[in-house]
Amino acid sequence: MKYAVITGASKGLGEAIAKSLIAKQFAVVTVSRTENEKLKMMAQEKGTSYQHFSCNLSLESEVQEVFMEITHRVFQKEPSDIFVFNNAGVIEPIATVGHLDKTPIDRNITVNLTAPIMITNLFLHKAQFSDTAVHIINITSGAAVRPIQGWSVYCSAKAGLNMFTQTVASEQAALQTKHSIIAFSPGIMDTDMQATIRSSSEKAFKDLKKFQEYQEKGMLLKPDMVANALIDLTLSGNVESGKIYNVNDLLN
Ligand SMILES: NC(=O)c1ccc[n+]([C@@H]2O[C@H](COP(=O)([O-])OP(=O)(O)OC[C@H]3O[C@@H](n4cnc5c(N)ncnc54)[C@H](OP(=O)(O)O)[C@@H]3O)[C@@H](O)[C@H]2O)c1
């Protein structure tokens, strides 16, 4: 049996990834603050295993506690493969430096960077005592490699996630394990995160008009299309561990 653990599956890209994997008969575990009832119903209809864990990923103690439980339960099933999608993300705070508050900084860094590090650590720790292959997929952003004024915290967290991905891949290659880790940049998608971006102010975010135009001109990618491209890549068996993939390379 193949397992997938997906953070932030209550909506947006995470929901699309979960739908795609339930359709492929994966046992799916979702993690977010709110549960997506549609996923639960879909899994019931397909007769597949589905479990939701409520967790606030901005709280390190909750991340540790919930993922200790998830890794315990999932490895107990002795699956051949576990796919872990570190997808949950937050864009805020949107503000130029000098106008940032501490709490949103902490929340951003913990959800976007610390939680994926802790989750990857827990899965690779457990994997040492099993035959299961662990595949980590970190959802990154073009903002990791391009400074965007007003998004300094998000850019920094995603840049950190890319470097974490590359470092872990290097370690696993040296250890000659069968585990893999990649980052995936999903492009600009039609999700609530874009709605949050469009509702910011031009004073806080210089490129506001450009992002409003993306929506007006129908340029936003559909999360289902992005998820399907990612799942095709992930299940292809041709994943290059340590690589930062970009959706545009997969769709062209
Ligand atoms: N949308 C884009 O254009 C775009 C572009 C580049 C990269 N990305 C990346 O793609 C990923 C998915 O983004 P999206 O656009 O699908 O975002 P979204 O629609 O805003 O969904 C975000 C997801 O993250 C979860 N989440 C947020 N804060 C959380 C917390 N404190 N604890 C637990 N879960 C939390 C939310 O669940 P709950 O609220 O239920 O907890 C939700 O399921 C993110 O990593 C994002 O950075 C998005």
Side-chain angles (χ1 to χ4, degrees):
M1 173 171 281
K2 290 185 178 176
Y3 262 85
V5 179
I6 307 153
T7 68
S10 59
K11 57 186 179 178
L13 179 62
E15 177 186 28
I17 292 170
K19 275 193 325 201
S20 175
L21 289 172
I22 291 169
K24 291 186 188 302
Q25 302 282 316
F26 270 69
V28 166
V29 173
T30 61
V31 185
S32 53
R33 289 166 300 185
T34 48
E35 181 168 12
N36 183 323
E37 293 296 330
K38 282 184 284 179
L39 292 177
K40 195 193 221 167
M41 278 166 55
M42 184 180 172
Q44 270 167 8
E45 282 163 19
K46 298 267 174 201
T48 59
S49 164
Y50 165 86
Q51 211 172 358
H52 174 74
F53 286 81
S54 176
C55 178
N56 185 342
L57 294 166
S58 71
L59 302 174
E60 289 171 25
S61 55
E62 272 194 38
V63 176
Q64 186 70 16
E65 194 183 319
V66 170
F67 277 88
M68 289 280 280
E69 177 70 19
I70 291 173
T71 50
H72 174 72
R73 290 207 201 178
V74 171
F75 278 98
Q76 220 173 29
K77 302 277 183 196
E78 299 182 354
S80 59
D81 298 82
I82 304 175
F83 296 83
V84 182
F85 294 84
N86 282 312
N87 163 78
V90 281
I91 183 78
E92 289 155 311
I94 300 177
T96 53
V97 176
H99 301 92
L100 297 170
D101 294 326
K102 186 178 182 310
T103 304
I105 298 173
D106 286 346
R107 196 182 302 132
N108 184 306
I109 299 289
T110 309
V111 174
N112 291 329
L113 179 59
T114 312
I117 291 175
M118 292 173 69
I119 293 165
T120 304
N121 182 54
L122 284 168
F123 275 95
L124 290 182
H125 175 74
K126 273 273 188 194
Q128 295 173 93
F129 314 105
S130 83
D131 289 330
T132 301
V134 174
H135 312 278
I136 307 280
I137 300 98
N138 290 325
I139 306 301
T140 182
S141 166
V145 292
R146 190 163 56 91
I148 299 174
Q149 293 178 31
W151 293 8
S152 59
V153 184
Y154 182 75
C155 290
S156 304
K158 293 292 191 183
L161 190 60
N162 283 5
M163 183 50 76
F164 175 71
T165 303
Q166 291 169 325
T167 308
V168 177
S170 168
E171 290 174 356
Q172 294 300 312
L175 292 167
Q176 298 187 325
T177 69
K178 53 186 171 185
H179 312 308
S180 70
I181 181 166
I182 61 166
F184 174 75
S185 183
I188 303 172
M189 298 176 292
D190 193 5
T191 67
D192 282 0
M193 184 175 280
Q194 284 298 321
T196 303
I197 292 166
R198 288 192 301 272
S199 67
S200 63
S201 74
E202 213 165 4
K203 184 167 173 283
F205 177 43
K206 190 168 155 280
D207 291 339
L208 178 65
K209 282 212 172 78
K210 195 164 83 184
F211 275 71
Q212 287 171 337
E213 273 178 27
Y214 288 149
Q215 188 205 27
E216 286 156 15
K217 293 182 178 167
M219 290 164 72
L220 300 175
L221 296 173
K222 294 283 168 233
D224 282 339
M225 191 174 74
V226 175
N228 288 335
L230 173 58
I231 300 303
D232 285 350
L233 166 72
T234 308
L235 304 183
S236 66
N238 288 325
V239 159
E240 194 183 316
S241 190
K243 187 168 170 176
I244 316 293
Y245 287 89
N246 190 307
V247 69
N248 295 322
D249 301 332
L250 305 181
L251 295 178
N252 291 337

